Amino acid sequence: MVRSMTGFGRGVTTTKSHQLTVEVRAVNHRFLEINTKFPKEWMESEVLAKKMLSQALSRGKLDVIIFLKELQTAEQKIQINWPLLEAYRKAKEELSLNMLMEEKWTMQEIAMLDQVLVVQEEELVQEEVLTAIEQALQQAITQLIQMREREGAELKAVMLQYKEQLQAQVQCIRTTSGDAVLKYRERLKQRVEEFTSGQLLEDRLLTEVALFAERVDISEELDRLESHFHQLEETLEEDIPIGRKLDFLMQEMHREINTIGSKNQSSESSIAVVQAKTILEKMREQVQNIE
């Protein structure tokens, strides 16, 4: 199945106290490159994420981002910094010796004292983190692959359409390329007749035309192109990553068309060669999007 290399996936899971969201964004890349943005203390989870992604995907540049949100239903705890509060009390006593102050503090006054009341956030246990990451990431990977496959189906249809167009140009080249030999024979005959005649003329023509026909013969290149077309169709049906194989096929097809262009002596074929190169370039651009 054809897959593109671009896509997006998101997975969400919850623990007792937190909601964890994993997002994976993928773009084209020659190899598999995974960039993660995890908290430093989650090293084990980061290793797990990279392992899961490398097993599910073969190519693309991936950015993995974690979002952690504390749930409102989580139990809230406040820690009292007693030593600091005692220090504030002693400072207040010293101040009260020199200025009039109320003896008792209100709750509002205590709450305004810096770092005396600290809201404790419930920390995630490492095992919970690993389980949550695995669940959320699996959801994200599933979504990402589904998006890649949808885009891959579109890429496959485009590639097959371009293949048909390219085959039409190749058939045009095959049909018109033989005219060059006949035209060359006529031009050569007119020139040689100025200097000789009879059997010598015919022998000379046969020799020169045979040499010319050998130089401009493109039957092997045309046959190899047809073989590449069959390989392309078969490759697009394979259920494995095919991007690199398609890229190689494009290079080989480009080589054959270039060779045909260098040998070609027909003006009609020249137009078809230019059109074939244009179509092939579009195909190569599309291949860069395939995993």
Side-chain angles (χ1 to χ4, degrees):
M1 180 177 293
V2 180
R3 290 182 185 173
S4 76
M5 280 191 283
T6 59
F8 173 81
R10 177 190 286 118
V12 181
T13 189
T14 57
T15 65
K16 294 179 181 179
S17 57
H18 292 81
Q19 175 181 286
L20 186 143
T21 303
V22 177
E23 291 186 354
V24 182
R25 299 179 175 90
V27 295
N28 299 351
H29 198 270
R30 188 175 180 183
F31 305 105
L32 180 64
E33 179 181 322
I34 304 174
N35 300 315
T36 56
K37 295 182 180 179
F38 284 25
K40 294 181 180 179
E41 61 271 18
W42 289 10
M43 182 66 69
E44 190 174 353
S45 300
E46 187 173 5
V47 173
L48 172 65
K50 289 184 177 181
K51 180 180 179 181
M52 291 176 64
L53 288 165
S54 62
Q55 289 175 343
L57 307 167
S58 63
R59 293 178 71 192
K61 183 178 181 182
L62 310 178
D63 290 319
V64 187
I65 305 175
I66 294 289
F67 300 97
L68 193 63
K69 179 182 178 182
E70 191 170 7
L71 298 175
Q72 293 181 354
T73 56
E75 183 180 356
Q76 302 293 321
K77 295 181 181 180
I78 296 179
Q79 182 179 12
I80 302 173
N81 191 337
W82 290 108
L84 182 59
L85 183 58
E86 178 64 18
Y88 275 119
R89 187 190 66 78
K90 290 181 179 180
K92 183 178 181 181
E93 287 181 351
E94 293 179 10
L95 289 171
S96 63
L97 296 176
N98 299 303
M99 56 188 299
L100 183 62
M101 298 183 67
E102 293 183 7
E103 294 183 1
K104 295 183 178 181
W105 280 348
T106 65
M107 188 62 191
Q108 183 179 1
E109 289 175 319
I110 294 175
M112 292 177 65
L113 296 175
D114 189 31
Q115 296 185 0
V116 169
L117 301 179
V118 180
V119 178
Q120 285 185 310
E121 295 183 0
E122 187 173 346
E123 295 184 358
L124 285 169
V125 180
Q126 186 64 28
E127 288 74 15
E128 291 182 353
V129 172
L130 282 172
T131 301
I133 290 290
E134 184 175 7
Q135 292 176 352
L137 185 58
Q138 189 57 59
Q139 294 176 27
I141 290 174
T142 300
Q143 286 188 11
L144 175 62
I145 291 176
Q146 288 174 347
M147 182 176 290
R148 282 184 158 198
E149 289 177 349
R150 286 195 299 269
E151 293 187 5
E154 296 176 2
L155 287 172
K156 178 181 177 181
V158 170
M159 288 292 293
L160 290 173
Q161 183 179 8
Y162 282 145
K163 181 193 74 73
E164 295 295 330
Q165 295 175 10
L166 186 56
Q167 280 184 303
Q169 297 302 324
V170 170
Q171 183 58 38
C172 179
I173 294 171
R174 187 187 294 274
T175 303
T176 58
S177 60
D179 296 341
V181 177
L182 297 176
K183 292 180 180 179
Y184 177 79
R185 187 182 188 283
E186 292 301 319
R187 291 197 304 269
L188 184 62
K189 180 179 180 181
Q190 293 176 5
R191 293 179 183 178
V192 175
E193 281 179 343
E194 299 176 2
F195 304 98
T196 185
S197 60
Q199 187 61 38
L200 182 60
L201 169 60
E202 192 62 30
D203 292 342
R204 184 61 176 172
L205 278 175
L206 288 175
T207 302
E208 290 296 330
V209 171
L211 291 173
F212 176 78
E214 185 176 355
R215 288 200 307 272
V216 301
D217 180 43
I218 57 174
S219 57
E220 290 186 10
E221 287 79 7
L222 292 172
D223 291 341
R224 282 194 290 267
L225 275 174
E226 287 299 327
S227 174
H228 294 331
F229 290 142
H230 291 307
Q231 291 182 59
L232 176 61
E233 291 177 345
E234 292 174 355
T235 301
L236 289 173
E237 297 299 327
E238 293 180 4
D239 196 23
I240 57 175
I242 59 173
R244 290 191 178 93
K245 185 175 180 180
L246 288 178
D247 191 48
F248 174 75
L249 274 175
M250 295 301 105
Q251 293 178 27
E252 292 301 304
M253 293 168 74
H254 188 263
R255 191 197 320 276
E256 302 301 342
I257 291 176
N258 273 342
T259 303
I260 290 173
S262 64
K263 289 183 176 182
N264 176 61
Q265 298 292 327
S266 167
S267 57
E268 293 84 356
S269 294
S270 297
I271 298 174
V273 168
V274 172
Q275 292 294 332
K277 288 183 177 181
T278 301
I279 297 169
L280 186 59
E281 187 59 33
K282 293 179 181 178
M283 295 177 73
R284 296 176 71 177
E285 290 177 1
Q286 296 298 327
V287 167
Q288 301 309 309
N289 299 321
I290 296 177
E291 182 181 4

